[in-house]
Amino acid sequence: MQPPTKITSAVIAVAAAFGLAACSTTVTDSSAATSATSTSSTTSTSSGGAATAANAAASSSKLLADNVTSHAEADDAAYDSVDATIALKDGASTTSSDAGVAISGDTITISAPGTYQLSGTLSNGSVVVASDAEGKVRLVLDNASITNSAGAAIAITAADEVVVVLADGTTNALADGTAYDTSAEDAPDAALFSMADLTIAGSGALTVTGNTNDGIASKDGLVIQAGDVTVTAADDGIRGKDYLIVEGGTLNITAADDGLKSDNEADDTVGYVLLTGGSVTVSAGDDGIHAEGDLGISGGTLTVTKSNEGIEGANIVLAGGATTITASDDGVNTSSGSGGGGGMGGGPGGGGMQDDGSLLQISGGTLVVDAGGDGLDSNGSTEISGGTIVVSGPTSNGNGSLDSNGGITVTGGTVVAAGSAGMAESPNSASTTGWLQVNFNPAVAAGETLSIVSDGKVLASFTTTKEVANLVFASPDLSSTGSYDIYLGGTLASDKVGTFSAGGSIDGAASLGTVTAGQATGGMR
């Protein structure tokens, strides 16, 4: 691993991207609303909002800026010629040059920097990179298929840096064996395994099957620049120990444990995951994305179709992109692993526990969450200064659609959070964006549309996906103390984020009553 240094241009760009970036009453029947049980009003000023946004930009840049350098360069996939072509064939592999390439049976060993083009099939063999010299080893997969019943298909045991290039228009496949021994320190434990910094680039396709442990794993840094990559893994899908950065490409990941992961716990400069572009789809048995350090999304599309917890990190910064999460427990979870918040791994929510210093910061993009546990859960604090956040949270009163130990501050953006009422939390007094909170008794059934209306104008519409007893809505369209009408039975506008739209229609809808901004009626205040 390169020594910890200040960030490279790639991470500087990410940090820059991250730096940019109410009312309540309880509805008791279909025609009337009762008064709020407590109040917590806020005052909105444009100068205060600008100052808070500037502070958020500074803190998010600082949050990411201490992470170690990314090794990847924009031209990693570019090459003028190859040093050797390797034709893979069971029992009869050949190479155009013996310089840097040795073939022993069905094991091909590359021992020097250079560019090597691989094509053909090994049904039970492997490619090993063992290069002690300084310089990149570039593996160009050109319709290459490698299966190794006894270990990794590609095992990079030593190298300065390795780039796997997926040649344009090609289809490639890597698979390891089942239940081979991975107990020794630094033993290969993935179908594509690297002890060195690893980059995946090129416009071709790659299918990776990790039958024993991970699909793709680097014990150093891992960057995915491009490619159509499909991974199925018995444990983690794609893991970069020091960091995992996705800059582009199309990734489809099915993992029994975590989908994307960085797990170095040495200090707060490593163990981070960044998504700056591309399209990522994850089905995970545990976390969709797990970072022991920071987790950031500034671009691209992330869809977590199945997970225990959707995305989890010591700090999470969302500054752009389109993120959709389905989770049986928490949708978004931040935890530093210290304090009284329970650490990573989720569990029943509820504010009021010890603030562990972690931060959930949202300044842009769209975030749609469907969670069985807490929707947005920060064991520290939550800061929202931009973006559109739509949360369909829990039906159990042991969790809330919004949950923090250090408070929720909203200074911009739009927030719609629906769920149970027992642990419901609202924005705090430092919030400068208007917000409202409503309890429904009886709860609103799944499939119903709720609308928030001011003087006959529909400001927002939300269609429930499950039973809803509490709704929080924050928007620049709300004043800090205004009164708003709640309707049931309307329709969404055509421009939607998840099941939310700004605007809509209340034709045929029934009034549920009127609420006043800035008053909290949830279970946690």
Side-chain angles (χ1 to χ4, degrees):
M1 186 192 97
Q2 300 179 38
T5 63
K6 287 300 177 185
I7 53 179
T8 59
S9 58
V11 180
I12 289 172
V14 175
F18 283 118
L20 301 173
C23 133
S24 191
T25 187
T26 299
V27 178
T28 57
D29 57 41
S30 63
S31 61
T34 64
S35 61
T37 57
S38 67
T39 64
S40 176
S41 34
T42 62
T43 302
S44 176
T45 64
S46 59
S47 60
T52 304
N55 292 336
S59 64
S60 63
S61 295
K62 181 179 179 181
L63 186 69
L64 299 173
D66 64 352
N67 289 319
V68 297
T69 282
S70 166
H71 66 272
E73 298 176 347
D75 62 352
D76 274 340
Y79 58 94
D80 296 324
S81 61
V82 298
D83 295 287
T85 59
I86 302 170
L88 305 173
K89 185 176 181 180
D90 291 341
S93 296
T94 59
T95 177
S96 65
S97 173
D98 291 334
V101 181
I103 299 175
S104 176
D106 287 326
T107 300
I108 290 84
T109 301
I110 296 169
S111 58
T115 298
Y116 303 86
Q117 184 174 13
L118 294 85
S119 60
T121 300
L122 285 178
S123 60
N124 190 15
S126 64
V127 172
V128 177
V129 176
S131 171
D132 293 326
E134 184 176 351
K136 293 179 183 177
V137 175
R138 185 178 285 108
L139 305 179
V140 180
L141 302 187
D142 185 5
N143 290 316
S145 177
I146 306 170
T147 299
N148 181 11
S149 64
I154 296 179
I156 301 160
T157 59
D160 181 31
E161 182 180 334
V162 175
V163 181
V164 173
V165 180
L166 309 176
D168 184 25
T170 66
T171 300
N172 307 278
L174 305 173
D176 63 1
T178 301
Y180 57 91
D181 186 9
T182 62
S183 61
E185 185 177 1
D186 295 332
D189 59 358
L192 171 52
F193 173 84
S194 180
M195 287 295 297
D197 287 325
L198 176 64
T199 301
I200 297 174
S203 58
L206 174 64
T207 299
V208 179
T209 305
N211 289 303
T212 290
N213 201 56
D214 299 343
I216 301 172
S218 169
K219 296 297 286 286
D220 225 328
L222 174 55
V223 177
I224 299 176
Q225 294 181 330
D228 185 350
V229 180
T230 300
V231 176
T232 303
D235 193 47
D236 302 326
I238 301 177
R239 177 169 57 90
K241 183 173 182 178
D242 290 345
Y243 53 85
L244 172 57
I245 301 173
V246 179
E247 299 176 353
T250 301
L251 279 60
N252 288 280
I253 303 160
T254 302
D257 199 50
D258 300 330
L260 302 179
K261 186 172 189 174
S262 184
D263 57 356
N264 193 336
E265 303 178 57
D267 56 51
D268 62 3
T269 70
V270 292
Y272 69 87
V273 178
L274 299 179
L275 274 62
T276 66
S279 174
V280 180
T281 302
V282 178
S283 175
D286 196 5
D287 299 341
I289 302 179
H290 180 97
E292 288 295 330
D294 301 331
L295 191 161
I297 301 175
S298 66
T301 300
L302 169 67
T303 304
V304 179
T305 61
K306 175 189 174 185
S307 64
N308 179 38
E309 295 197 335
I311 60 176
E312 182 175 53
N315 298 289
I316 296 177
V317 182
L318 306 179
T323 300
T324 303
I325 293 171
T326 300
S328 59
D329 194 7
D330 299 341
V332 177
N333 180 272
T334 69
S335 173
S336 69
S338 62
M344 292 191 183
M353 292 186 180
Q354 182 178 339
D355 183 343
D356 71 356
S358 61
L359 174 65
L360 169 59
Q361 188 175 75
I362 304 174
S363 62
T366 61
L367 172 64
V368 178
V369 175
D370 185 336
D374 296 323
L376 307 185
D377 181 14
S378 175
N379 286 290
S381 56
T382 298
E383 298 175 358
I384 299 172
S385 61
T388 301
I389 302 104
V390 181
V391 178
S392 294
T395 57
S396 165
N397 281 326
N399 292 284
S401 57
L402 302 175
D403 179 37
S404 73
N405 292 351
I408 301 167
T409 304
V410 182
T411 59
T414 299
V415 181
V416 182
S420 58
M423 300 291 284
E425 188 175 354
S426 59
N428 62 20
S429 60
S431 298
T432 57
T433 294
W435 58 270
L436 62 80
Q437 186 180 44
V438 189
N439 272 359
F440 299 98
N441 185 15
V444 176
E448 298 283 359
T449 297
L450 293 163
S451 300
I452 298 168
V453 180
S454 176
D455 295 327
K457 179 183 178 181
V458 179
L459 303 180
S461 298
F462 171 76
T463 300
T464 60
T465 60
K466 60 187 80 170
E467 185 177 87
V468 170
N470 182 274
L471 177 71
V472 174
F473 177 61
S475 167
D477 292 334
L478 298 182
S479 73
S480 60
T481 57
S483 294
Y484 298 91
D485 300 318
I486 308 298
Y487 280 80
L488 178 69
T491 56
L492 301 181
S494 58
D495 189 9
K496 297 177 286 187
V497 176
T499 61
F500 160 79
S501 69
S505 171
I506 54 172
D507 290 346
S511 173
L512 296 182
T514 301
V515 295
T516 304
Q519 297 181 348
T521 61
M524 302 300 298
R525 304 188 183 106

